[in-house]
Amino acid sequence: MTNDDINQKVDRDKIIIQTSVIGILANILLAVFKAFAGIMSNSIAVTLDAVNNLSDALSSVITIIGNKLGSKAPDKNHPLGYGRIEYLSAMIVAGIVLYAGITSIIESVKKIINPATPEYTSITLLILAVAIIVKLVLGAYVKKRGEIANSGALIASGADATFDAVLSLSVLLSALLYIFTGISLEAYVGVIISAVIIKAGIDMMIETLNDILGKRADPKTTAHLKELLTEEPQVRGAYDIFITNYGPDKNYASVHLELPDVMTVEEVDELTRKLQEEVYQEMGITLIGVGVYSYNTKNDEAGKIHNTVMETVMNHEWVLQLHGFFVEVDKKQMRFDVVMSFDIDWDEGRDILQKEVNELYPDYEVQIVSDIDISD
């Protein structure tokens, strides 16, 4: 790890912790004032709004803990570091949010069944109005800081804070509606708030599960990586890109490069090291594995066979890509990889292609490898 990497990591941790602390203090103050206003006005909607702020504060505490644990240096048992702990902390946050939403909706339904008359005061209304402004400012600030630190947790917290302002606005409007018309909708507003909290918890849990299980790499990232790799004149194509993540800003990748059959091992080694450096400097991705496909440059007959096989194989809708094609005319051998969609069983698809290519070239030994559609 270079000095620049260390400084960047320190700056990221500093931003996350400072922003989270500000969020914690702001949400605790809002929770206290809203809880006071809710109790004084006998309003379930205002009280649940306070609970929402308290869960936000607790979420920020867990985010800080997760960030500190995830920043531990790699060791023998965890050579790629502890970055994924941040995903586990996000899962805990999602659980807290979900629990807060479920308990809130239970209390709201109780208030609908056994309604209580709210008693709003000017202080209650003032607290709600100030809370809306504070949440809007806090949301914009946290989101901006999250984008600077490339922290999904902070970006999500910023968006959540902005949406909390909308919820507080709905509580304020329901209070004004009751004051001017005598119509009490605050228990129903409580249900809406609870439903929003539950949905947020479920969305957070799904997103975090996707990070833990492993998901398809961002298409823009893979496209940029392919573009960077194929800028070298020797590289005809970059395939089988696999990007794995071990926490925020900790991405590792492997790839197969299609290179001419006249390159020496020395030349391939030099090219590989150059590309690894360029990819890391440009994208912050550590290229840990570079495999090689060779393509024919010495035989015109090989080119004709390639075109025929390509046309036959790509005639199937479930075939997404053919690459790594190489044919040895003298030995009567050919090999290539096929990326198939999830619409067909891969063994079945390979058997179909094997039969078709064997019918075209019965004298050849044909080796087909079915690849997984892991990146765009």
Side-chain angles (χ1 to χ4, degrees), residues 152-263:
L154 284 185
I155 294 173
S157 295
D160 182 56
T162 302
F163 199 75
D164 285 347
V166 177
L167 294 180
S168 296
L169 178 61
S170 68
V171 175
L172 178 60
L173 292 176
S174 67
L176 294 173
L177 179 66
Y178 176 76
I179 292 172
F180 289 107
T181 67
I183 300 174
S184 179
L185 297 178
E186 58 115 21
Y188 296 95
V189 171
V191 171
I192 295 173
I193 293 174
S194 303
V196 170
I197 295 174
I198 290 172
K199 183 181 184 301
I202 293 174
D203 289 344
M204 289 172 62
M205 192 163 288
I206 291 174
E207 180 65 23
T208 307
L209 276 173
N210 286 336
D211 286 326
I212 293 173
L213 291 173
K215 58 184 179 180
R216 180 182 294 274
D218 175 45
K220 291 182 180 179
T221 301
T222 54
H224 187 190
L225 180 55
K226 284 183 180 179
E227 181 182 357
L228 195 61
L229 293 169
T230 54
E231 283 179 354
E232 294 295 327
Q234 305 99 315
V235 181
R236 188 168 75 171
Y239 307 101
D240 306 327
I241 292 178
F242 180 75
I243 301 176
T244 185
N245 175 271
Y246 278 85
D249 296 330
K250 296 178 182 178
N251 295 307
Y252 301 86
S254 61
V255 65
H256 274 106
L257 301 180
E258 201 166 38
L259 304 175
D261 55 4
V262 293
M263 288 188 71

Side-chain angles (χ1 to χ4, degrees), residues 12 65-72 78 80-92 208-215 242-252 288:
R12 179 179 184 273
I65 295 173
N67 175 258
K68 296 299 290 184
L69 293 175
S71 299
K72 288 178 61 178
H78 302 89
L80 294 177
Y82 291 79
R84 285 182 174 174
I85 286 180
E86 289 197 34
Y87 299 144
L88 296 177
S89 66
M91 181 65 73
I92 295 174
T208 307
L209 276 173
N210 286 336
D211 286 326
I212 293 173
L213 291 173
K215 58 184 179 180
F242 180 75
I243 301 176
T244 185
N245 175 271
Y246 278 85
D249 296 330
K250 296 178 182 178
N251 295 307
Y252 301 86
I288 57 175

